[in-house]
Amino acid sequence: RYEIKIDTNADFSYPVISSSNIVSTSYSATKELPQGKYYWIVVATDGSHYSLWASSYTLYIDTIPPSAVTSFSATIGSYNGAINLSWSAPGDDGDTGDIQSGKYFIRTATYPIITEPDWIQTASTEKTISKSVIKPGENQTFTFDGLADGTTYYFSVKTQDEAVNISAVSSTSPYCMTNAKPIVSVKVPNGGETFLGNKIISWEYSDPYPPGDTHKFAIYDSSDGTNFSVLVTSGLADKTTYYNWGCHR
């Protein structure tokens, strides 16, 4: 049988738990211990004699989760269906202390994720970042991809510490629209014409998002008005007049 002592002091002068007559080699505390650092030690007995006390060990009780992320932003990614996220890391206990073996959980929706019910409803979208160390205040980035084009998404993040305490939902739910495909409308010709000699081809276009994109254009030819499989020219810059010759159809 065994006897165990648990104390906040390494000399075990005032143990918070002292339990004897333990028949197995494991022990579950009989009362809840508050947050803090503890020492524990064990001794064996056969009913008549005691062994020497084993070397003491340290355990930590961590019940305080990291703070909710407050500084959080979203910007359009460098490729279709991608949005770049950035936020400041919280600490292990609230805003203080490094998080060892921490995790981030990121979720998205087409509506703001502010409350816990919002978070629960978006479980299927979750992506996870695992880190050996998270330092409070450090900048964390993540590209959330696989999203639909031309769609506005909202995001939220939670942080988990090494004791599996999980923060509340981030206090802000930043949003951003993914890259939208340009829309092109051919103005001339308008269909059915016969090309004889020179012919002007002109078009209009719009790009819903993002503003300031650089655009290149290509012209395709079709013999039936359905299958445009013949490339006439490509790489045409915006707001430029081009002349093409030597084309025969």
PDB file of all heavy atoms in Angstrom, residues 26-44:
ATOM      1  N   SER A  26      -1.899   4.360  -8.808  1.00  0.00           N
ATOM      2  CA  SER A  26      -2.412   5.628  -9.340  1.00  0.00           C
ATOM      3  C   SER A  26      -3.278   6.283  -8.270  1.00  0.00           C
ATOM      4  O   SER A  26      -3.767   5.612  -7.344  1.00  0.00           O
ATOM      5  CB  SER A  26      -3.220   5.407 -10.619  1.00  0.00           C
ATOM      6  OG  SER A  26      -4.348   4.614 -10.365  1.00  0.00           O
ATOM      7  N   TYR A  27      -3.461   7.603  -8.422  1.00  0.00           N
ATOM      8  CA  TYR A  27      -4.219   8.330  -7.399  1.00  0.00           C
ATOM      9  C   TYR A  27      -4.969   9.485  -8.050  1.00  0.00           C
ATOM     10  O   TYR A  27      -4.413  10.210  -8.892  1.00  0.00           O
ATOM     11  CB  TYR A  27      -3.277   8.868  -6.321  1.00  0.00           C
ATOM     12  CG  TYR A  27      -3.961   9.712  -5.272  1.00  0.00           C
ATOM     13  CD1 TYR A  27      -4.722   9.130  -4.270  1.00  0.00           C
ATOM     14  CD2 TYR A  27      -3.852  11.096  -5.312  1.00  0.00           C
ATOM     15  CE1 TYR A  27      -5.367   9.907  -3.312  1.00  0.00           C
ATOM     16  CE2 TYR A  27      -4.478  11.879  -4.357  1.00  0.00           C
ATOM     17  CZ  TYR A  27      -5.238  11.282  -3.358  1.00  0.00           C
ATOM     18  OH  TYR A  27      -5.871  12.056  -2.420  1.00  0.00           O
ATOM     19  N   SER A  28      -6.218   9.652  -7.671  1.00  0.00           N
ATOM     20  CA  SER A  28      -7.028  10.798  -8.090  1.00  0.00           C
ATOM     21  C   SER A  28      -7.299  11.661  -6.874  1.00  0.00           C
ATOM     22  O   SER A  28      -7.747  11.150  -5.828  1.00  0.00           O
ATOM     23  CB  SER A  28      -8.356  10.338  -8.717  1.00  0.00           C
ATOM     24  OG  SER A  28      -8.122   9.593  -9.894  1.00  0.00           O
ATOM     25  N   ALA A  29      -7.013  12.948  -6.997  1.00  0.00           N
ATOM     26  CA  ALA A  29      -7.185  13.853  -5.862  1.00  0.00           C
ATOM     27  C   ALA A  29      -8.621  13.852  -5.383  1.00  0.00           C
ATOM     28  O   ALA A  29      -9.564  13.799  -6.174  1.00  0.00           O
ATOM     29  CB  ALA A  29      -6.758  15.263  -6.262  1.00  0.00           C
ATOM     30  N   THR A  30      -8.780  13.915  -4.061  1.00  0.00           N
ATOM     31  CA  THR A  30     -10.113  13.865  -3.457  1.00  0.00           C
ATOM     32  C   THR A  30     -10.763  15.232  -3.376  1.00  0.00           C
ATOM     33  O   THR A  30     -11.919  15.339  -2.969  1.00  0.00           O
ATOM     34  CB  THR A  30     -10.023  13.262  -2.049  1.00  0.00           C
ATOM     35  OG1 THR A  30      -9.053  14.001  -1.278  1.00  0.00           O
ATOM     36  CG2 THR A  30      -9.599  11.798  -2.121  1.00  0.00           C
ATOM     37  N   LYS A  31     -10.024  16.286  -3.726  1.00  0.00           N
ATOM     38  CA  LYS A  31     -10.616  17.614  -3.769  1.00  0.00           C
ATOM     39  C   LYS A  31      -9.993  18.408  -4.906  1.00  0.00           C
ATOM     40  O   LYS A  31      -8.889  18.093  -5.367  1.00  0.00           O
ATOM     41  CB  LYS A  31     -10.418  18.335  -2.437  1.00  0.00           C
ATOM     42  CG  LYS A  31      -8.976  18.651  -2.088  1.00  0.00           C
ATOM     43  CD  LYS A  31      -8.893  19.412  -0.772  1.00  0.00           C
ATOM     44  CE  LYS A  31      -7.461  19.779  -0.417  1.00  0.00           C
ATOM     45  NZ  LYS A  31      -7.395  20.525   0.855  1.00  0.00           N
ATOM     46  N   GLU A  32     -10.693  19.412  -5.328  1.00  0.00           N
ATOM     47  CA  GLU A  32     -10.221  20.237  -6.447  1.00  0.00           C
ATOM     48  C   GLU A  32      -9.145  21.183  -5.959  1.00  0.00           C
ATOM     49  O   GLU A  32      -9.321  21.896  -4.971  1.00  0.00           O
ATOM     50  CB  GLU A  32     -11.385  21.010  -7.052  1.00  0.00           C
ATOM     51  CG  GLU A  32     -11.004  21.812  -8.281  1.00  0.00           C
ATOM     52  CD  GLU A  32     -12.200  22.471  -8.949  1.00  0.00           C
ATOM     53  OE1 GLU A  32     -13.287  21.851  -8.958  1.00  0.00           O
ATOM     54  OE2 GLU A  32     -12.051  23.602  -9.441  1.00  0.00           O
ATOM     55  N   LEU A  33      -8.036  21.202  -6.657  1.00  0.00           N
ATOM     56  CA  LEU A  33      -6.932  22.084  -6.298  1.00  0.00           C
ATOM     57  C   LEU A  33      -6.989  23.356  -7.131  1.00  0.00           C
ATOM     58  O   LEU A  33      -7.246  23.302  -8.328  1.00  0.00           O
ATOM     59  CB  LEU A  33      -5.596  21.380  -6.528  1.00  0.00           C
ATOM     60  CG  LEU A  33      -5.356  20.099  -5.720  1.00  0.00           C
ATOM     61  CD1 LEU A  33      -4.044  19.462  -6.149  1.00  0.00           C
ATOM     62  CD2 LEU A  33      -5.359  20.400  -4.232  1.00  0.00           C
ATOM     63  N   PRO A  34      -6.730  24.494  -6.505  1.00  0.00           N
ATOM     64  CA  PRO A  34      -6.734  25.747  -7.277  1.00  0.00           C
ATOM     65  C   PRO A  34      -5.517  25.857  -8.178  1.00  0.00           C
ATOM     66  O   PRO A  34      -4.565  25.070  -8.082  1.00  0.00           O
ATOM     67  CB  PRO A  34      -6.715  26.820  -6.182  1.00  0.00           C
ATOM     68  CG  PRO A  34      -6.084  26.152  -5.005  1.00  0.00           C
ATOM     69  CD  PRO A  34      -6.495  24.716  -5.077  1.00  0.00           C
ATOM     70  N   GLN A  35      -5.558  26.850  -9.052  1.00  0.00           N
ATOM     71  CA  GLN A  35      -4.455  27.108  -9.971  1.00  0.00           C
ATOM     72  C   GLN A  35      -3.153  27.271  -9.196  1.00  0.00           C
ATOM     73  O   GLN A  35      -3.095  27.913  -8.159  1.00  0.00           O
ATOM     74  CB  GLN A  35      -4.769  28.397 -10.744  1.00  0.00           C
ATOM     75  CG  GLN A  35      -3.628  28.939 -11.576  1.00  0.00           C
ATOM     76  CD  GLN A  35      -3.794  28.679 -13.045  1.00  0.00           C
ATOM     77  OE1 GLN A  35      -4.757  28.078 -13.466  1.00  0.00           O
ATOM     78  NE2 GLN A  35      -2.844  29.121 -13.833  1.00  0.00           N
ATOM     79  N   GLY A  36      -2.075  26.653  -9.698  1.00  0.00           N
ATOM     80  CA  GLY A  36      -0.783  26.846  -9.050  1.00  0.00           C
ATOM     81  C   GLY A  36       0.177  25.694  -9.262  1.00  0.00           C
ATOM     82  O   GLY A  36      -0.105  24.734  -9.989  1.00  0.00           O
ATOM     83  N   LYS A  37       1.315  25.801  -8.586  1.00  0.00           N
ATOM     84  CA  LYS A  37       2.373  24.797  -8.656  1.00  0.00           C
ATOM     85  C   LYS A  37       2.338  23.936  -7.397  1.00  0.00           C
ATOM     86  O   LYS A  37       2.220  24.455  -6.287  1.00  0.00           O
ATOM     87  CB  LYS A  37       3.731  25.490  -8.791  1.00  0.00           C
ATOM     88  CG  LYS A  37       4.921  24.546  -8.852  1.00  0.00           C
ATOM     89  CD  LYS A  37       6.225  25.348  -8.976  1.00  0.00           C
ATOM     90  CE  LYS A  37       7.440  24.439  -9.041  1.00  0.00           C
ATOM     91  NZ  LYS A  37       8.702  25.229  -9.139  1.00  0.00           N
ATOM     92  N   TYR A  38       2.454  22.627  -7.575  1.00  0.00           N
ATOM     93  CA  TYR A  38       2.381  21.697  -6.454  1.00  0.00           C
ATOM     94  C   TYR A  38       3.526  20.682  -6.537  1.00  0.00           C
ATOM     95  O   TYR A  38       4.055  20.403  -7.625  1.00  0.00           O
ATOM     96  CB  TYR A  38       1.047  20.940  -6.449  1.00  0.00           C
ATOM     97  CG  TYR A  38      -0.146  21.825  -6.216  1.00  0.00           C
ATOM     98  CD1 TYR A  38      -0.757  22.478  -7.281  1.00  0.00           C
ATOM     99  CD2 TYR A  38      -0.670  22.009  -4.944  1.00  0.00           C
ATOM    100  CE1 TYR A  38      -1.849  23.301  -7.084  1.00  0.00           C
ATOM    101  CE2 TYR A  38      -1.773  22.823  -4.729  1.00  0.00           C
ATOM    102  CZ  TYR A  38      -2.358  23.463  -5.802  1.00  0.00           C
ATOM    103  OH  TYR A  38      -3.442  24.287  -5.600  1.00  0.00           O
ATOM    104  N   TYR A  39       3.874  20.139  -5.350  1.00  0.00           N
ATOM    105  CA  TYR A  39       4.845  19.058  -5.250  1.00  0.00           C
ATOM    106  C   TYR A  39       4.132  17.826  -4.695  1.00  0.00           C
ATOM    107  O   TYR A  39       3.233  17.942  -3.867  1.00  0.00           O
ATOM    108  CB  TYR A  39       5.990  19.448  -4.317  1.00  0.00           C
ATOM    109  CG  TYR A  39       6.722  20.686  -4.737  1.00  0.00           C
ATOM    110  CD1 TYR A  39       6.306  21.943  -4.282  1.00  0.00           C
ATOM    111  CD2 TYR A  39       7.824  20.628  -5.588  1.00  0.00           C
ATOM    112  CE1 TYR A  39       6.968  23.097  -4.666  1.00  0.00           C
ATOM    113  CE2 TYR A  39       8.500  21.777  -5.969  1.00  0.00           C
ATOM    114  CZ  TYR A  39       8.059  23.010  -5.509  1.00  0.00           C
ATOM    115  OH  TYR A  39       8.715  24.142  -5.894  1.00  0.00           O
ATOM    116  N   TRP A  40       4.542  16.649  -5.173  1.00  0.00           N
ATOM    117  CA  TRP A  40       3.954  15.438  -4.630  1.00  0.00           C
ATOM    118  C   TRP A  40       5.020  14.377  -4.394  1.00  0.00           C
ATOM    119  O   TRP A  40       6.045  14.341  -5.071  1.00  0.00           O
ATOM    120  CB  TRP A  40       2.827  14.901  -5.515  1.00  0.00           C
ATOM    121  CG  TRP A  40       3.229  14.388  -6.876  1.00  0.00           C
ATOM    122  CD1 TRP A  40       3.447  15.125  -7.996  1.00  0.00           C
ATOM    123  CD2 TRP A  40       3.446  13.017  -7.237  1.00  0.00           C
ATOM    124  NE1 TRP A  40       3.778  14.317  -9.056  1.00  0.00           N
ATOM    125  CE2 TRP A  40       3.785  13.016  -8.623  1.00  0.00           C
ATOM    126  CE3 TRP A  40       3.380  11.805  -6.563  1.00  0.00           C
ATOM    127  CZ2 TRP A  40       4.061  11.843  -9.322  1.00  0.00           C
ATOM    128  CZ3 TRP A  40       3.661  10.623  -7.259  1.00  0.00           C
ATOM    129  CH2 TRP A  40       3.985  10.655  -8.623  1.00  0.00           C
ATOM    130  N   ILE A  41       4.752  13.548  -3.384  1.00  0.00           N
ATOM    131  CA  ILE A  41       5.717  12.547  -2.958  1.00  0.00           C
ATOM    132  C   ILE A  41       4.961  11.318  -2.477  1.00  0.00           C
ATOM    133  O   ILE A  41       3.816  11.424  -2.005  1.00  0.00           O
ATOM    134  CB  ILE A  41       6.625  13.115  -1.841  1.00  0.00           C
ATOM    135  CG1 ILE A  41       7.879  12.265  -1.661  1.00  0.00           C
ATOM    136  CG2 ILE A  41       5.858  13.298  -0.536  1.00  0.00           C
ATOM    137  CD1 ILE A  41       8.915  12.933  -0.758  1.00  0.00           C
ATOM    138  N   VAL A  42       5.573  10.131  -2.599  1.00  0.00           N
ATOM    139  CA  VAL A  42       4.877   8.893  -2.243  1.00  0.00           C
ATOM    140  C   VAL A  42       5.824   7.958  -1.486  1.00  0.00           C
ATOM    141  O   VAL A  42       7.045   7.980  -1.694  1.00  0.00           O
ATOM    142  CB  VAL A  42       4.315   8.205  -3.510  1.00  0.00           C
ATOM    143  CG1 VAL A  42       5.425   7.731  -4.416  1.00  0.00           C
ATOM    144  CG2 VAL A  42       3.371   7.072  -3.160  1.00  0.00           C
ATOM    145  N   VAL A  43       5.223   7.152  -0.599  1.00  0.00           N
ATOM    146  CA  VAL A  43       5.968   6.167   0.156  1.00  0.00           C
ATOM    147  C   VAL A  43       5.171   4.859   0.167  1.00  0.00           C
ATOM    148  O   VAL A  43       3.938   4.880   0.082  1.00  0.00           O
ATOM    149  CB  VAL A  43       6.236   6.648   1.610  1.00  0.00           C
ATOM    150  CG1 VAL A  43       4.949   6.734   2.415  1.00  0.00           C
ATOM    151  CG2 VAL A  43       7.258   5.764   2.314  1.00  0.00           C
ATOM    152  N   ALA A  44       5.861   3.738   0.235  1.00  0.00           N
ATOM    153  CA  ALA A  44       5.197   2.424   0.255  1.00  0.00           C
ATOM    154  C   ALA A  44       5.320   1.795   1.636  1.00  0.00           C
ATOM    155  O   ALA A  44       6.278   2.055   2.387  1.00  0.00           O
ATOM    156  CB  ALA A  44       5.826   1.510  -0.792  1.00  0.00           C
TER     157      ALA A  44
END
